[in-house]
Every structure is written in C-alpha cells, then in structure tokens.
C-alpha cells in the first residue's frame, strides 16, 4: 500500500498529461456505442485544494499505471475531477429501480461521473468518480460525498477483494476542505473506482417499456461481457433467447455472490435493484457492515427500519431483484415461461456455493446432506449467544486440542461444548490429518475483516489529515487470512465501551 503526502496540492494549472500513453488508448464504450438517451455529458465539479490521501498500487497496476504515474500531477487531477482521459468527455448514466421494494422511477448517477475506459494488462476497465458533484440525475442531492463515507467505500472494496468476493475496486481517495452539510458539517472527498462495467439491473429497468433502447443495451452488454450468451446470427430474431440466456448467467453470478456474502457475515444494507451489478459484483458501499456479534436478522442500515435488507434476507432479496430484472426483459418479446426458467437456477446455485463454502469453513472434505443439521445448529448457537461471527469460524480450526479460546466466545460454554462434540464426531469421519485441516480452514476463515469500529478509527484519523490507519488497514485487508504478530487488535471485536457506529443511507 502507498500512503501519500496529505498536504494540499493545486490542479488548476496542470498540463493534460496522458497517463495512459503507449496503451490501447482511452475511450468510453458506453457513450460511443449507446444512444444519447442513456447518458448526459457532464463535467465533474472538481475539488478545491485536493490532496491525494491514499492510492492503491495493486488497483493502479490493473490499469497499467506505475509508481511514477501515481506521483504525476495529472493523476491527482484525474482523481480530483479536474482532469480528463485523453479525448473523452465524462458522462453520467441514467437508470431506474426499486428502492426498499418500491418502484422509485428514474434514478441515475446522481453523484458519479464515468470518466471512460482504458485498457490494462489484463483487460479493459471503466474509471468512475464517486462524490464528484451534481448531475441531471441528482434529484435533490448536492452530488458530493463526504470523507467519512468515502473512506468506508475505499476500505470496503479492498476488504471484499482480499476475501475473494467479486467487487468494484477503489483506485484512489482524494480529500479536500470543501464543506458539505450532512447531519453535521463535514468535508468533501472523491473515490476513484474501477470495474469492467458499472451496468446495473436498474439500467435495464429504465428501458422496460422501450424495445429499441432495451435491445441496444442488451446487445452492448452481451457483446462486451457475455459473448457466450449470444444466440444465433440474427440479433433481431434471436434477441429474446439471448436475453433469457443472459438472465440465466446473471442469476448464477448473483446467487454465488449472495453465498459469498453470507459466508463472511457481510451485510450490504441497501440492496435496491439499482445497486445490483449485471456482472455479479458487489456494488455501491453505503451502510454496509461485517457482523461482530452474530444475529441472523442483523440489520446494518439504520435507515432500514423494517429490516428488509437483514443478513438472513439477502438471498431472497437478490432473487426478488432478479425477478424485477426479468420483468424488464419482456419488452424484447421474452415469454414468461422462458424468463422463469432462466431464474430457476438461483436456489440450486446458491445452495451449492453455500454448502461448498460451509464445508471449507468447517474443514470438511465434502458436504453431506446430514451436515445441514450441523450447519443449522451452528447458526442457532451463534445467534442465541451472540458469538463473534469471524472469530467463531477462525478459532474452530484450533478446537481439536485446547478449545478454550473458542469456548470463550460463548456466554454459555456448555451449549457450545455440546455443538462442538457433534462437530468433532463429524470430523472423525473425515480422513484429513488435523494439521492439513487447520491449514485449509485458515485459508478460508479470515482473521481480519473490516469491522465498523476499525473503519471508524481510520475515518477519525483521516479527518485530521492522517492516512496511516487507512494504510495499516489496507495492508491487513489485502491478505485477511495470514496472522500478523502484534496485530491482535485488528482481529478483535469492539470492546463493551466502544461507542456504537451507526450507519445509514447517508453513510
């Protein structure tokens, strides 16, 4: 990780250096290949006296940027909103969606600007600024993001990537002194994030009643990211079959993503259809959270008063969202039975990924049908005793010898001991040697996750211009499985006297 000098820098007199010289060149396929009705060309409102608080060299490498490029004034200008990709005008895209189960109508990039896309060593990446000012889709918002929420998104994308969970990735975090009013006065910041595409379910929902635009969007998405979904040589005649095949693939990707979220105790917080990625990526980190004390019905978003997006509801919500996506494809001539068939694999794919993950986390060579009872008893035990999600899994690998550190996680060790006896009886049927099992379990059960209180400590330091805690967290989140001597505090849940961190849609 690279921590930058937090001192302010000016960008108003910068030369338009081409950061991507020698590569395949910058462009914006979204604006070049889709009609103007899909977007608005709009410039970001660049930050005054921006400072590059942190940059992720691993993400920069995906774009082909080396250390010298990250030190160039043009890089700061690009990430602060005053620079441009060569020959590309930034755009904000329009989409619609269901928010908290209710049709919200037209939405769109209300505080994000797509700068374009560039070719990296391993493929092409879209570059987007988040928190970069108002667009025609801002509705009543100011288009800014505050440093608090920007730090949370920057860290979250690294946390998910380190866990091997598909996600958008954060390239850079730029801070400023620009005032922003939320519940209290704060300062503005911008996250530069990248993904192969930021196309959402909501982009398709927006054109649910317009066959021409929906067909253009389908053709664009399939051509770039799902070429295997194309059916037949005739785009017009075969488009319904292509759309159904695309829906089936998005269903499978989303189902696997939900299993991954559940297995690490991750709660998204705002699983609206406009926050669902067509590529199966974790998209838009607002009021997210990794659970400390496990509660099956845990709600991380204080704005979610009805608990729609609780941890145990996430797979069902994803399935509901996919159904809304399917409905939007009917305008292409897709028949209801074909769409239902495309949606049908969700449950089986989710359960396959979930059970395979549970087998790995329990250190089992395979998952047997009767193991479902053991898994259900596990969640019941953690829920009733509010045991720490991450440490309960991590310390399970050490219970073959001295189980005291694991039992210490439970208010009633006797109940935990009863479950452990069942678990160890199951392990006796598994031929793997204990040292091999422990090593395998430690490779899938993280020690370090982005707990809310750790993110809050990094935020408070960043608000004083100090990026050192961001730097330390990024290093640990990059490899959350390897134990680091002296890093015990990063693995511990918050103490009883730690002030609770409340996150909401304003986060």
């Amino acid at each position: 990780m690279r921590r930058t000098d937090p001192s302010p820098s000016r960008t108003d007199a910068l030369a338009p250096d081409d950061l991507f010289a020698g590569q395949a060149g910058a462009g914006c396929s979204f604006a070049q290949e889709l009609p103007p009705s899909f977007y608005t060309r709009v410039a970001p409102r660049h930050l005054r006296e921006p400072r590059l608080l942190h940059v992720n060299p691993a993400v920069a490498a995906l774009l082909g940027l080396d250390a010298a490029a990250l030190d160039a004034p043009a890089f700061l200008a690009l990430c602060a909103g005053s620079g441009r990709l060569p020959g590309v005008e930034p755009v904000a895209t329009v989409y619609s969606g269901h928010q908290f189960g209710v049709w919200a109508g037209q939405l769109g990039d209300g505080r994000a600007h797509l700068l374009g896309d560039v070719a990296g060593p391993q493929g092409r990446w879209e570059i987007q600024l988040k928190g970069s000012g108002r667009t025609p889709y801002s509705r009543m918002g100011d288009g800014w993001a505050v440093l608090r929420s920007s730090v949370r998104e920057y860290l979250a994308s690294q946390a998910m990537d380190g866990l091997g969970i598909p996600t958008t990735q954060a390239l850079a975090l730029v801070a400023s002194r620009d005032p922003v009013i939320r519940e209290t006065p704060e300062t503005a910041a911008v996250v530069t994030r990248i993904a192969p595409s930021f196309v959402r379910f909501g982009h398709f929902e927006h054109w649910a009643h317009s066959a021409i635009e929906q067909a253009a969007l389908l053709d664009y998405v399939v051509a770039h990211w799902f070429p295997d979904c194309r059916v037949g040589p005739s785009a017009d005649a075969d488009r319904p079959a292509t759309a159904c095949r695309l829906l089936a693939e998005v269903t499978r990707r989303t189902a696997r993503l939900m299993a991954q979220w559940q297995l690490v105790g991750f709660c998204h917080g705002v699983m609206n259809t406009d926050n669902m990625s067509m590529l199966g990526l974790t998209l838009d980190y607002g009021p997210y959270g990794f659970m400390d004390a496990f509660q099956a019905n845990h709600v991380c978003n204080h704005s979610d008063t009805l608990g729609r997006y609780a941890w145990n509801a996430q797979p069902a919500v994803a399935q509901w969202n996919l159904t809304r996506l399917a409905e939007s494809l009917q305008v292409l001539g897709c028949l209801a039975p074909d769409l239902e068939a495309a949606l049908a694999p969700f449950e089986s794919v989710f359960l396959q990924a979930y059970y395979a993950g549970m087998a790995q986390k329990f250190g089992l060579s395979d998952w047997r049908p009767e193991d479902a009872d053991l898994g259900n008893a596990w969640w019941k035990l953690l829920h009733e005793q509010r045991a720490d999600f991450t440490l309960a899994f991590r310390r399970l690998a050490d219970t073959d010898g001295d189980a005291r550190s694991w039992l210490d996680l439970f208010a009633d060790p006797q109940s935990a001991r009863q479950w452990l006896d069942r678990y160890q009886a199951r392990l006796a049927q598994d031929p793997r040697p204990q040292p091999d099992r422990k090593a395998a379990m430690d490779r899938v059960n993280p020690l370090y996750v982005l707990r809310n209180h750790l993110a809050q400590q990094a935020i408070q330091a960043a608000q004083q211009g100090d990026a050192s805690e961001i730097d330390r967290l990024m290093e640990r989140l990059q490899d959350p499985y390897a134990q680091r001597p002296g890093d015990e505090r990063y693995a511990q849940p918050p103490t009883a006297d730690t002030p609770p961190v409340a996150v909401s849609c304003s986060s």
Side-chain angles (χ1 to χ4, degrees):
M1 295 303 149
R2 178 177 182 271
R3 186 169 65 253
T4 62
D5 181 357
S7 60
S9 302
R10 295 187 60 82
T11 62
D12 50 306
L14 294 174
D17 299 341
D18 186 353
L19 294 170
F20 302 97
Q23 299 185 31
C28 185
S29 66
F30 193 95
Q32 291 165 341
E33 299 177 30
L34 289 170
S37 53
F38 280 78
Y39 59 86
T40 300
R41 298 189 187 278
V42 56
R45 178 183 173 186
H46 62 270
L47 299 173
R48 292 175 295 177
E49 297 186 354
R51 59 188 187 279
L52 190 59
L53 195 63
H54 206 277
V55 63
N56 190 330
V59 175
L62 296 175
L63 304 177
L65 298 177
D66 58 17
L70 303 183
D71 284 330
F75 181 75
L76 173 58
L78 187 74
C79 298
S82 59
R84 300 287 181 272
L85 293 178
V88 181
E89 293 183 68
V91 301
T93 73
V94 64
Y95 48 82
S96 296
H98 288 80
Q99 298 189 327
F100 291 90
V102 178
W103 176 246
Q106 179 180 300
L107 303 167
D109 292 329
R111 56 175 176 170
H113 292 75
L114 178 62
L115 299 183
D117 47 69
V118 299
Q122 301 175 23
R124 203 159 186 92
W125 298 88
E126 290 186 350
I127 303 177
Q128 186 185 77
L129 302 184
K130 183 174 179 180
S132 43
R134 295 194 66 186
T135 76
Y137 316 115
S138 298
R139 295 187 286 177
M140 301 299 292
D142 58 18
W144 290 115
V146 297
L147 181 60
R148 165 176 51 91
S149 62
S150 301
V151 169
R152 283 179 57 83
E153 170 136 359
Y154 186 77
L155 292 171
S157 59
Q158 178 61 76
M160 297 296 268
D161 184 61
L163 291 166
I165 298 175
T167 180
T168 60
Q169 298 193 64
L171 169 65
L173 174 61
V174 175
S176 78
R177 295 192 178 94
D178 289 297
V180 179
I181 303 299
R182 293 294 183 258
E183 288 86 351
T184 60
E186 301 188 56
T187 55
V190 171
V191 172
T192 305
R193 58 186 188 178
I194 72 168
S197 172
F198 289 93
V199 173
R200 309 151 184 261
F201 290 12
H203 282 99
F204 282 86
E205 285 189 285
H206 186 73
W207 302 111
H209 302 290
S210 178
I212 294 176
E213 282 84 0
Q214 191 76 300
L217 181 60
L218 176 73
D219 292 345
Y220 169 73
V221 169
V222 168
H224 282 274
W225 299 286
F226 299 94
D228 292 343
C229 292
R230 171 66 67 198
V231 177
S234 171
D236 292 336
D238 300 314
R239 197 170 277 122
T242 297
C244 288
R245 188 175 287 186
L246 172 64
L247 177 63
E249 177 58 25
V250 175
T251 295
R252 287 188 287 267
R253 292 190 185 197
T254 304
R256 288 191 290 266
L257 181 67
M258 292 303 106
Q260 290 177 291
W261 284 7
Q262 302 303 95
L263 290 167
V264 296
F266 175 78
C267 300
H268 185 280
V270 194
M271 286 182 65
N272 299 331
T273 57
D274 56 291
N275 289 335
M276 300 292 292
S277 162
M278 289 294 293
L279 273 60
L281 308 175
T282 311
L283 177 68
D284 280 352
Y285 294 97
Y288 69 85
F290 288 87
M291 261 192 284
D292 297 317
F294 176 74
Q295 290 286 274
N297 59 345
H298 174 72
V299 178
C300 68
N301 180 0
H302 283 232
S303 302
D304 186 7
T305 55
L306 298 179
R308 177 178 177 82
Y309 300 139
W311 175 83
N312 59 0
Q314 291 183 143
V317 169
Q319 199 168 19
W320 189 91
N321 289 344
L322 284 161
T323 303
R324 305 288 79 74
L325 172 62
E327 291 169 350
S328 75
L329 299 176
Q330 290 179 310
V331 71
L332 296 174
C334 299
L335 301 178
D338 296 331
L339 293 169
E340 291 169 1
L343 292 169
F346 181 91
E347 183 175 359
S348 61
V349 172
F350 170 80
L351 289 176
Q352 182 181 20
Y354 167 75
Y355 287 142
M358 285 293 286
Q360 290 182 316
K361 291 175 82 69
F362 279 174
L364 302 174
S365 299
D366 61 349
W367 186 266
R368 305 172 184 175
E370 58 269 25
D371 292 332
D373 289 339
L374 182 68
N376 291 337
W378 167 260
W379 296 123
K380 184 174 185 290
L381 174 68
L382 265 61
H383 178 84
E384 290 178 345
Q385 303 211 31
R386 301 182 64 86
D388 186 79
F389 186 104
T390 301
L391 293 181
F393 274 111
R394 178 72 179 200
R395 293 182 185 178
L396 193 60
D398 299 316
T399 55
D400 187 61
D402 186 351
R404 284 178 295 181
S405 66
W406 182 80
L407 291 170
D408 285 345
L409 298 171
F410 300 90
D412 179 8
Q414 183 174 355
S415 295
R417 180 81 251 183
Q418 292 172 354
W419 183 90
L420 187 60
D421 290 343
R422 289 182 59 186
Y423 170 67
Q424 291 178 332
R426 173 65 177 88
L427 290 184
Q429 304 171 31
D430 196 292
R432 194 185 324 190
Q434 170 57 18
D436 294 347
R437 178 183 295 114
K438 172 177 168 49
M441 292 174 71
D442 285 349
R443 287 194 295 269
V444 297
N445 290 315
L447 183 60
Y448 310 109
V449 296
L450 185 58
R451 299 176 184 270
N452 270 341
H453 74 283
L454 296 176
Q456 187 63 25
Q457 291 169 7
I459 290 167
Q460 290 171 345
Q463 289 171 335
Q464 303 302 315
D466 179 4
S468 60
E469 193 58 32
I470 294 176
D471 206 50
R472 284 189 285 268
L473 273 175
M474 292 285 283
E475 289 179 4
R476 286 143 187 85
L477 296 172
Q478 195 170 40
D479 184 3
Y481 304 100
Q483 185 170 3
R484 294 167 174 256
D487 275 6
E488 289 77 14
R489 78 177 183 90
Y490 290 101
Q492 295 302 315
T495 59
D497 60 349
T498 301
V501 178
V503 293
S504 66
C505 288
S506 68
S507 300

